[in-house]
Amino acid sequence: MSYPGYNYGAPNGASQINPQVQQWFALADKDGSGQITCYELQRVLANGQGGTFSEKACRLMIGMFDKENKHSIDITEFQALFDYINAWLGVFKNFDRDNSGSIQEEELAAAFTQMGYRFTPEFINFLIKRYDGNQNGNVTVDQFIVLCVQIQKFTEEFRRRDTELTGTINIGFEDFLGVALNCDV
């Protein structure tokens, strides 16, 4: 199983916009600016638990697909984001084995194991507590996306520094802060 990359960016060139994407874009673009901001995106994305995607998740996703760093996305960038969210939603549904609309500790452990990570139960428990916005032991789809994207970002930065492939790196304090601040949303 492959997992969505976080650095997709908007598709290059003029491509046909999916009619469903056009409908979602029009629904989100309340001010008719032709751009969707984090807050406009947040209003239209449901997290499966009766709420909307968190501001953090929406900021992360806008930032990933905003090619001009304008803190908003146009319809072409939105189409790439739409495809990205649907890809992660498929991953999420695959591991939400009880169809609760959220992932519990055991399901999150299975997801990361299948992604190739060997996290201890204690670390999985830490992740659940860190990303569980409601503090009920569950991670919603938006929290799952943020968590997975951040783990991917940290993994890439770690691998870039682990040139001898030892599984260990030495990192200066400022470099560490740079990595941590770049990987946090």
Side-chain angles (χ1 to χ4, degrees):
M1 175 178 246
S2 64
Y3 299 94
Y6 73 87
N7 200 11
Y8 282 176
N12 291 324
S15 61
Q16 189 70 4
I17 302 296
N18 177 327
Q20 186 179 14
V21 169
Q22 288 176 333
Q23 289 176 332
W24 278 98
F25 188 86
L27 182 66
D29 186 20
K30 279 293 189 197
D31 63 2
S33 66
Q35 298 286 318
I36 294 177
T37 65
C38 166
Y39 302 107
E40 288 174 318
L41 182 64
Q42 186 179 16
R43 286 184 318 101
V44 297
L45 293 179
N47 70 7
Q49 293 287 301
T52 60
F53 270 43
S54 68
E55 180 183 338
K56 184 177 190 172
C58 291
R59 231 179 323 120
L60 169 76
M61 292 184 296
I62 291 282
M64 289 167 44
F65 293 91
D66 174 16
K67 281 189 158 183
E68 289 107 32
N69 200 24
K70 58 194 176 312
H71 306 292
S72 62
I73 55 174
D74 62 27
I75 194 162
T76 305
E77 293 164 328
F78 181 71
Q79 178 152 327
L81 172 60
F82 184 85
D83 293 342
Y84 178 80
I85 290 172
N86 282 324
W88 272 116
L89 187 56
V91 172
F92 181 84
K93 286 180 178 179
N94 186 50
F95 291 104
D96 180 18
R97 295 192 175 113
D98 61 0
N99 295 315
S100 65
S102 62
I103 290 182
Q104 291 76 38
E105 199 167 325
E106 181 180 304
E107 294 166 324
L108 185 62
F112 279 121
T113 298
Q114 191 159 339
M115 290 179 202
Y117 293 99
R118 293 180 299 188
F119 294 143
T120 64
E122 294 77 20
F123 188 69
I124 295 292
N125 182 271
F126 165 77
L127 292 174
I128 289 280
K129 288 179 181 174
R130 170 82 165 78
Y131 287 86
D132 175 10
N134 298 326
Q135 301 302 308
N136 59 5
N138 301 312
V139 175
T140 58
V141 67
D142 59 318
Q143 296 159 341
F144 179 73
I145 291 171
V146 170
L147 170 58
C148 290
V149 167
Q150 288 183 323
I151 295 289
Q152 285 180 337
K153 285 180 172 183
F154 276 114
T155 299
E156 287 174 8
E157 289 299 321
F158 186 91
R159 285 183 178 150
R160 196 168 64 77
R161 287 164 177 77
D162 186 16
T163 56
E164 297 179 19
L165 303 175
T166 62
T168 304
I169 61 171
N170 288 319
I171 188 168
F173 184 62
E174 285 184 4
D175 190 22
F176 167 75
L177 288 176
V179 168
L181 293 173
N182 270 332
C183 292
D184 194 28
V185 180

